[in-house]
Amino acid sequence: MPLTAAAAAGAVAFAAALGVGGQALVTGAVAGGLAALIAAGSLLLASVRSAADRSMSLGARWMGGGAVIWAAGVALRPFAESFVVSFADLFVLLGTVVTAGGALIAADRRFPARIVLRHVTDSYLCAASIFLIGWVVALRHVYDDAADPAAFTLVMLPPMIALLVTCAVIPSVLTSRASSWLLALAGVGVLATMTVAGLAAAVARLDGGNPQVWSVMLAPVAFLLLAAVPWGPPARELDRSAVGNVVALVPLALVAVAAVTWLAHLAGERPERPVTGVVVVAVSVVLLLLVRLFVVSVANVRLRGRVKLGERQLRDLAESTGDVVFTCDYEGVVRQIGPGVEATYGYRPDDVVGGSIFDYIHPEDVPGIQVALRAMHLDEDNSAPGACLIACRVRAADGTWRPTESVATRHVGGDDLMLVTTRDISDEEALRNQVAHLTFHDGVTGLPNRAYFEERTREVLSGRASGHVAVIFLDLDGFTSVNDSVGHASGDYLLGQAARRLRGAVRSDDTLARWGGDEFAVLVETGGEAQIAVDLAERLVRAVSQEPFRVADRDVALTASVGVAFTEDGMPAGDLIRNADVAMARAKELGGRRVEVFAAQMHADVVRRLELAADLQRALIEQQFAIEYQPVVDLATSRVTAVEALVRWWRGSVFVPPEQFLGPAEDTGLIVPLGEWILREACREVAAWRASSWDIGLSLNLSARQITAPRFVETVEEALTESGLPASALTLEVIEEMLVEDAEETIKRLSELRALGVRLAIDDFGTGYASLAFLRQLPVDMIKIDPSFVSGLGTDDTLTLLTRTIVRLGHDLGLVVVAEGIERPEQLELLKRMGCTKGQGFLVARPMAARGVDSLMRTSLTV
C-alpha cells in the first residue's frame, strides 16, 4: 500500500528527531494506520456479504471509508508537523465525521425534525460541559503556557468538533434496535478513540512534547475490534428503554458536573483574567439550558391541556353513549359523577357524590372489586394494566339489581383518583340468556333440543354406573301425511300438543327433548332397573295414541314407534343414542305402535343394509344386474302371450335374492335408475321378439319411488320410442298398497301412463287395502291373483272360494285375470274350470334368460 509505505518512511525520519519516545509514538501511529486499513478492508467485505441488510451494508461502507481517510491523515501528519493546523488534521477530522455518519446509518435511526434539534442541542451541552470540565482540570494550564489564544483555538478546534460529533452519535446508537447495532456501537468506540487521540495530540502540540503512549495505542485496538465485529455473532434483541431514559439524563448530568467543577474552581483559587472563549461556552450552555427549560415548560402546558381535553372528551363520549361516568378514589368514595346516573339508575348526582360505590354494589361482588382496586393502587411500578374491567350488579333506585360492566382507569385527574365508566347491560344480558335458551331449546315445542340432549347424555354417562341409564327414541307414525294434508303450521301445532302429552308422561328427573322432525328422545336414569325404561316407553305410546289430536278443526289419530336402548360398560353417548334410534326404526318397520328394545343384531342389520346399498350403487355402475323373463301363458291353449321381466343380481359369483336387495334399493332411491335400466333393456328385447313375428307382451313391476320420480312418464315414453315397442304391448304392474299411500298422486301418474296407451295391472290382488272404488277411478286392464290364494286351491275351501270370487269379479268388470304361482296340476285344472284365462308359475314355465325365451319363441312359432 503506497499510503502505508509513505507513512512508514515519514515515521522513520520523524523518529530520528524524536528519540526513543518518539519511536514508540511513531510505532503506535503506524499500528493505528494499519489497523484502520485492516478495519476498512473487513468492513468493505462485510458490506458485500450483508447486501440484503441495507443499514449494515451502507453503514459498513461509510465506516470503512472513514477509516481510510483517518489512516491517510495519520500517514500525512509527520510531514505537516510544522503547521499549527495542517491538512493532515483536516483528513483526520473528515475521517471522524464520515465514521460518525456510518455509525448513524448502522444504527438505522430516523427522527422527526424536533427530535433531531433536541439531539443537536444535547450533544452541544455534552461537548461544552466536557470542555469546561477539561478546562478546569488541565486545559487552562495549557492555555497559559501557550500564551497565544489564536493558536490554542486553532489547535483545539478539530478535536472539539470530533467531540461534538461523537456526543451527537452516542444517544442514537445506544438506543438503537437495529440488527447492526453492534457494528454501530463499535463505530462509537472508534469515534471515542479518535477524539481522545486528537485531544492528546492537540495538547502535546501546544505543550511542545509528545502525546501519552496510551492515547496513541487506543486507536489500533479500537480499529481491530471494529474489523472483527461484522464477523461475530449477530446482536440479540434487547429492551433498551431503560438505556434511553439514562441517555436523556446524561446532558443534564454533565452540565451539573461542569457547574460544580467550575464553582469549585472559582471558590478554590484567586480570580484570574477570564478567557473569552470559555465565557462564551459557559454562557451558551446557560442559554441553551434556559431554552430547554422554556421548551419543556411549553410542552408540559400543552400536554396538560391535551390531558384535560382528552378527559373531557372521554367523559362526553361516554355520556353520549348512555354510560355513567364518575371519578372516585381507591377507597370507593365518589368525587364527581355525570348526569347519566339519574337516567340510568334513578339517583340524583348530588346524592351519590361523597358516598361509597360499595353502597350500591351487590354484597357478593364487593370483595372481588376491592381486591382489583387495591391491586391498581398499590402497584407502584405500573406493572399492572392501566385499566381494569369490572363486572358486577348495581342496585337501582327502584331496588332492582342491574348487571353492569365498568372500566376503571387509574391516574386520571390525579394519582389518587380513578375514572370509571359504567354501562348497564341488562338488555344485553337478557338477549344473551335468550340466545342461550334458543341454542339449547326447540322453538316449536319449547323442549330441549338435540344439542342439549347429546350434551346432557354425555354428562350423565360420565357420572353414572353402567346399566343405570337408558335412552328412549319416539317417532310419530303417519306425521308426514299431517303436514301434507293440513300444512306445516298445523303440523307444528300438533307437535306442540304431542310434546305436552309426552312431558306429562315422563318423570321429573327424566330429560325429554325434541330430536328433530317428529322424533323425540328421553334420557332415563333407571337406577339399575331396566323395566322402568320399558314401562315409560309403553306409557309414551299410550300418551300419543290414547285419543286423537285436534288440528285444523279435525281429529288426527296418530300412533308412535318407540325404541329403547340401555348403556353398557364404557359405551359412548353417541352409541347409546344410535342404538335407541335403531330400535325405534325397527319398531317402525314392524308396523308401528310398539316398543322395541335394542339388540346387537339390529345394529348388524343396519350396517349390513348400508353395505348392501353401497354394493348396489357399485353394481349399477359396473352393470352386474341381469334380466330373466317368466312367461305368461293362455291356460286354454298353453300359448305364451307375455313375459314378466324380473331383475337378478350376481354379486361376483354369489346370487343375491331379489327380496334382499329390492328393499334397500327402494329405501336409498337406487330403484329409480335400476328400474329405468330394466325398462329400457326389456323393451328392447321384447321389441326384437315381436319383430320376429311373435305377438308377445311385456309386464313390469313398479315401485312407489319409480311412480313418484319427476320424469317417470317421460322415461316410459322415451323407452317405447327408442325400442319401437308398441305402448299396448307394455303392462305396468302396481300393488294395492301403492294405491292407498299418496293415492291422489299415484292415480294421477298412472292415468298419464294409461293415456300413452300403456296397459295397467294390479299385482297381488286381494292382499292389500285398496277398495273396489280404485278399480272404478283407475282404468285397470288386468288383475293378478296373489300366489297365496292359488297355493290353497284344492286343499283350502276358503281360499278356493275367494279365488273363484276374484275370477268372477274380474270377468264382471271386463278385466283380464292372471293367476300367479301355479305349481301343481290340480291348481291348473281348477283355474281353468273357474274361467281364469291366463297364468304363470313354475308348473307353466320357470323364469329364464333371454336365450331361453328365444328357444321358447321358436318352439311356439313352430307349433
Side-chain angles (χ1 to χ4, degrees):
M1 298 179 184
L3 194 59
T4 307
V12 171
F14 188 51
L18 293 178
V20 178
Q23 289 180 359
L25 297 177
V26 170
T27 302
V30 172
L34 290 174
L37 293 175
I38 292 172
S42 174
L43 290 172
L44 291 176
L45 289 175
S47 68
V48 175
R49 188 190 69 168
S50 306
D53 189 345
R54 184 179 180 279
S55 60
M56 179 75 174
S57 176
L58 190 58
R61 292 178 185 177
W62 273 67
M63 282 191 280
V68 171
I69 297 172
W70 186 88
V74 171
L76 293 173
R77 183 173 284 168
F79 302 101
E81 286 298 326
S82 58
F83 299 96
V84 176
V85 178
S86 65
F87 58 88
D89 294 327
L90 296 180
F91 267 89
V92 172
L93 180 60
L94 179 60
T96 303
V97 174
V98 173
T99 303
L104 284 175
I105 293 173
D108 195 21
R109 299 301 302 275
R110 297 176 180 83
F111 301 105
R114 58 185 179 84
I115 302 298
V116 172
L117 181 61
R118 194 188 73 187
H119 278 200
V120 171
T121 57
D122 285 349
S123 63
Y124 179 80
L125 288 174
C126 291
S129 300
I130 293 174
F131 173 77
L132 291 175
I133 295 171
W135 174 265
V136 172
V137 174
L139 293 182
R140 60 190 177 90
H141 302 297
V142 176
Y143 177 80
D144 293 337
D145 294 340
D148 186 355
F152 179 86
T153 303
L154 290 175
V155 171
M156 295 300 299
L157 186 60
M160 294 310 299
I161 294 176
L163 177 62
L164 181 63
V165 171
T166 303
C167 292
V169 171
I170 289 176
S172 298
V173 173
L174 291 181
T175 57
S176 170
R177 295 177 179 269
S179 59
S180 53
W181 174 74
L182 283 178
L183 178 64
L185 187 62
V188 169
V190 170
L191 285 176
T193 58
M194 288 178 176
T195 303
V196 171
L199 284 171
V203 171
R205 187 179 302 174
L206 290 172
D207 283 343
N210 297 320
Q212 298 291 326
V213 176
W214 63 268
S215 66
V216 177
M217 297 307 296
L218 282 176
V221 176
F223 276 114
L224 290 177
L225 179 62
L226 179 62
V229 165
W231 308 99
R236 291 185 302 170
E237 183 67 27
L238 300 175
D239 183 10
R240 301 189 181 94
S241 58
V243 176
N245 296 332
V246 173
V247 169
L249 295 176
V250 167
L252 298 179
L254 285 175
V255 170
V257 172
V260 172
T261 304
W262 188 258
L263 291 175
H265 163 65
L266 293 178
E269 298 185 7
R270 62 180 178 82
E272 58 183 16
R273 177 174 58 88
V275 179
T276 305
V278 177
V279 173
V280 170
V281 172
V283 171
S284 64
V285 170
V286 174
L287 290 177
L288 272 180
L289 286 176
L290 292 175
V291 171
R292 284 289 302 274
L293 182 60
F294 176 76
V295 171
V296 170
S297 300
V298 172
N300 285 338
V301 171
R302 187 183 300 112
L303 288 176
R304 288 182 179 275
R306 289 182 178 178
V307 170
K308 291 182 179 179
L309 177 61
E311 182 180 350
R312 185 172 65 254
Q313 289 177 341
L314 179 63
R315 290 177 180 174
D316 293 343
L317 177 62
E319 290 177 358
S320 66
T321 60
D323 295 345
V324 178
V325 181
F326 64 93
T327 58
C328 68
D329 58 23
Y330 289 95
E331 298 299 325
V333 178
V334 179
R335 301 291 184 84
Q336 188 179 8
I337 194 166
V341 67
E342 186 169 6
T344 304
Y345 297 104
Y347 298 109
R348 295 177 56 234
D350 295 340
D351 297 337
V352 178
V353 173
S356 175
I357 60 174
F358 300 114
D359 295 337
Y360 304 94
I361 297 176
H362 197 283
E364 295 178 358
D365 301 333
V366 169
I369 298 175
Q370 289 176 335
V371 171
L373 298 185
R374 192 177 303 115
M376 291 180 64
H377 180 50
L378 297 180
D379 183 51
E380 297 180 356
D381 58 356
N382 290 341
S383 60
C388 178
L389 180 63
I390 299 172
C392 63
R393 290 160 288 179
V394 174
R395 187 183 68 248
D398 59 3
T400 60
W401 292 103
R402 309 274 189 87
T404 64
E405 285 183 352
S406 302
V407 177
T409 307
R410 62 182 177 183
H411 303 331
V412 177
D415 289 345
D416 60 338
L417 294 181
M418 293 182 300
L419 176 66
V420 182
T421 303
T422 300
R423 183 164 61 95
D424 184 2
I425 59 170
S426 299
D427 294 339
E428 291 88 338
E429 188 72 17
L431 180 60
R432 190 181 300 114
N433 293 336
Q434 183 179 3
V435 170
H437 183 271
L438 292 177
T439 302
F440 293 103
H441 286 77
D442 174 56
V444 175
T445 62
L447 296 176
N449 60 12
R450 176 174 180 171
Y452 179 88
F453 187 83
E454 291 176 336
E455 181 64 26
R456 177 60 181 163
T457 304
R458 282 191 290 268
E459 291 179 0
V460 172
L461 287 184
S462 64
R464 292 282 181 175
S466 61
H468 291 185
V469 178
V471 169
I472 300 174
F473 252 53
L474 180 144
D475 180 86
L476 299 178
D477 302 325
F479 178 76
T480 303
S481 60
V482 175
N483 278 338
D484 295 340
S485 60
V486 297
H488 288 274
S490 297
D492 290 345
Y493 179 69
L494 187 149
L495 288 174
Q497 295 183 56
R500 287 191 290 273
R501 291 190 187 183
L502 297 176
R503 190 184 293 114
V506 300
R507 303 174 306 174
S508 59
D509 295 338
D510 300 332
T511 302
L512 171 65
R514 183 188 177 195
W515 185 256
D518 60 338
E519 295 181 354
F520 298 85
V522 184
L523 179 64
V524 185
E525 300 179 43
T526 64
E529 298 183 20
Q531 192 60 38
I532 292 178
V534 176
D535 292 343
L536 175 58
E538 292 176 349
R539 286 203 307 272
L540 295 177
V541 172
R542 291 194 298 271
V544 172
S545 58
Q546 63 185 358
E547 60 180 284
F549 295 92
R550 187 68 179 175
V551 180
D553 295 331
R554 69 178 69 178
D555 290 334
V556 177
L558 293 180
T559 59
S561 299
V562 178
V564 182
F566 297 94
T567 186
E568 298 176 1
D569 290 336
M571 176 180 288
D575 290 355
L576 177 60
I577 295 173
R578 179 205 64 198
N579 293 345
D581 193 9
V582 170
M584 182 268 293
R586 177 64 175 168
K588 205 168 188 67
E589 289 177 2
L590 296 176
R593 195 173 183 177
R594 60 186 298 133
V595 175
E596 285 290 325
V597 178
F598 175 80
Q601 184 61 33
M602 293 182 182
H603 182 244
D605 291 342
V606 172
V607 173
R608 192 179 303 110
R609 288 172 70 90
L610 290 175
E611 293 175 350
L612 185 63
D615 291 344
L616 271 172
Q617 192 167 14
R618 190 180 308 110
L620 191 61
I621 296 174
E622 298 175 358
Q623 297 182 352
Q624 298 177 6
F625 293 101
I627 299 178
E628 289 187 350
Y629 301 91
Q630 184 172 23
V632 179
V633 301
D634 187 317
L635 297 183
T637 64
S638 298
R639 178 175 171 273
V640 177
T641 60
V643 290
E644 182 179 355
L646 305 173
V647 65
R648 298 291 184 258
W649 180 22
W650 290 89
R651 195 191 324 186
S653 59
V654 178
F655 175 73
V656 182
E659 58 270 15
Q660 291 187 10
F661 70 84
L662 288 180
E666 177 77 11
D667 295 339
T668 59
L670 290 174
I671 194 66
V672 175
L674 178 60
E676 182 177 343
W677 175 80
I678 297 171
L679 173 66
R680 294 181 184 276
E681 188 69 18
C683 287
R684 182 186 61 78
E685 199 74 57
V686 173
W689 293 330
R690 291 179 64 88
S692 301
S693 302
W694 189 18
D695 185 15
I696 189 172
L698 172 65
S699 293
L700 284 174
N701 289 291
L702 297 181
S703 71
R705 286 250 190 176
Q706 285 180 277
I707 294 176
T708 57
R711 296 189 69 257
F712 178 66
V713 178
E714 291 82 353
T715 300
V716 173
E717 187 175 8
E718 291 170 0
L720 294 174
T721 303
E722 292 170 2
S723 63
L725 183 69
S728 59
L730 176 62
T731 301
L732 298 178
E733 303 176 6
V734 295
I735 61 176
E736 290 181 88
E737 286 83 351
M738 292 168 52
L739 299 176
V740 177
E741 298 177 3
D742 201 4
E744 184 177 349
E745 182 65 21
T746 301
I747 291 175
K748 176 183 175 183
R749 289 294 180 91
L750 293 178
S751 299
E752 292 175 358
L753 290 171
R754 192 68 176 80
L756 295 177
V758 174
R759 305 175 72 188
L760 299 178
I762 298 180
D763 195 15
D764 299 337
F765 187 82
T767 60
Y769 306 99
S771 65
L772 296 178
F774 285 109
L775 298 178
R776 179 179 56 82
Q777 298 177 21
L778 188 65
V780 176
D781 301 286
M782 180 187 302
I783 57 175
K784 302 183 74 173
I785 304 173
D786 188 75
S788 61
F789 292 102
V790 178
S791 63
L793 292 178
T795 60
D796 190 317
D797 294 340
T798 302
L799 292 177
T800 303
L801 176 61
L802 289 174
T803 303
R804 182 178 292 107
T805 303
I806 292 174
V807 172
R808 185 179 298 113
L809 175 65
H811 289 166
D812 293 342
L813 295 176
L815 304 177
V816 176
V817 180
V818 180
E820 295 182 290
I822 303 175
E823 298 181 354
R824 301 193 309 274
E826 60 270 21
Q827 295 171 346
L828 178 61
E829 291 301 323
L830 284 172
L831 287 170
K832 288 181 179 180
R833 272 184 268 153
M834 292 177 185
C836 182
T837 57
K838 295 182 180 181
Q840 62 184 112
F842 287 174
L843 180 66
V844 177
R846 290 178 175 272
M848 61 190 71
R851 286 178 298 178
V853 178
D854 288 337
S855 301
L856 183 64
M857 176 190 69
R858 287 191 292 271
T859 303
S860 177
L861 291 177
T862 302
V863 174

